[in-house]
């Protein structure tokens, strides 16, 4: 076979090979039991439903859910650097603070932790969204200061905010387990629908 013909056939064969799929970008979710799927099957939790929605919409993202039941902002902050290095996320969703509030931990400490997590995530090249929480009214002024902390951080850092992660289900007891704290499986799609409008612009 002539060298020129052989070369042409080789090039043609290369052009016919399928291109390797590009690696999906990662959305890192670092939260507590509300995102870890406490009391329900892991695949029912809203972060897993998010992963399925991304696939259905053919968006080139996958979800790494590093949420742990009982996690505080201090715990999340201590784990974040390792998570950023391991996953190299394009987007980080910080859904922490509920356990700080329920334990009555100093709000200045919570704010410092959340600010540090936002800064570290951005320094790694990721976009950031923050999910806020609320406390029962029996926490008094502390509850008011607690919920205001998320809005103040989001404004100061110019960070997209889901004002209250459980907003679509909070007023309906049927969406909660017997402890009245953790959402049931039926609540998870509603939580995802609530988070989605804040998250979607970060995927563009």
């Amino acid at each position: 076979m002539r060298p020129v013909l052989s070369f042409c056939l080789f090039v043609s064969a290369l052009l016919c090979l399928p291109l390797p799929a590009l690696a999906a970008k990662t959305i890192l979710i670092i939260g507590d039991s509300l995102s870890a799927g406490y009391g329900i099957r892991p695949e029912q939790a809203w972060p897993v439903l998010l992963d399925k929605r991304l696939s259905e919409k053919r968006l080139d993202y996958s979800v790494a859910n590093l949420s742990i039941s009982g996690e505080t902002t201090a715990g999340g902050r201590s784990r974040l650097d390792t998570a950023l290095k391991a996953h190299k996320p394009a987007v980080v969703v910080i859904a922490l603070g509920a356990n700080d509030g329920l334990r009555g931990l100093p709000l200045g400490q919570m704010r410092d932790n959340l600010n540090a997590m936002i800064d570290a995530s951005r320094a790694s090249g990721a976009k950031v969204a923050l999910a806020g929480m609320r406390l029962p009214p029996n926490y008094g002024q502390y509850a008011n200061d607690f919920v205001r902390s998320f809005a103040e951080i989001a404004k100061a850092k110019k960070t997209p905010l889901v004002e209250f992660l459980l907003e679509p289900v909070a007023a309906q007891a049927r969406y909660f387990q017997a402890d009245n704290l953790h959402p049931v499986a039926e609540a998870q799609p509603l939580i995802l629908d609530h988070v989605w409008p804040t998250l979607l612009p970060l995927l563009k």
Side-chain angles (χ1 to χ4, degrees), residues 138-170:
N138 61 295
Y139 278 74
Q141 186 58 42
Y142 180 89
N144 296 331
D145 295 340
F146 174 84
V147 70
R148 190 169 62 247
S149 294
F150 294 97
E152 290 174 348
I153 291 169
K155 182 178 180 180
K157 294 292 184 181
K158 295 181 172 58
T159 302
L161 173 67
V162 179
E163 291 188 6
F164 179 27
L165 182 64
L166 303 183
E167 180 71 41
V169 300

Side-chain angles (χ1 to χ4, degrees), residues 26-32 34-37 45-51 54 62-68 71 76 79-80 83-84 87 89-96 117 121 127 129 131 165 191-192 195 199:
T26 300
I27 300 171
L28 174 66
I29 299 176
I30 186 159
D32 49 38
L34 299 176
S35 300
W46 74 263
V48 179
L49 300 183
L50 170 61
D51 197 49
L54 293 167
S62 62
V63 174
N65 186 15
L66 270 65
S67 302
I68 298 176
E71 186 72 290
R79 294 192 292 124
L80 183 60
L84 293 172
H87 295 278
V91 178
V92 175
V93 179
I94 302 171
L96 289 168
M117 293 178 73
S121 298
K127 299 176 183 178
L165 182 64
I191 295 171
L192 173 57
V195 172
L199 181 60

Side-chain angles (χ1 to χ4, degrees), residues 11-12 37 56 60 66 91-92 102 108 117 120-122 124 127-128 146 150 152 159 177 180 189 194:
V11 172
S12 297
E56 291 168 357
D60 190 33
L66 270 65
V91 178
V92 175
L102 291 173
M117 293 178 73
S121 298
R122 286 181 171 161
S124 76
K127 299 176 183 178
V128 184
F146 174 84
F150 294 97
E152 290 174 348
T159 302
Q177 299 173 39
N180 293 317
H194 181 54

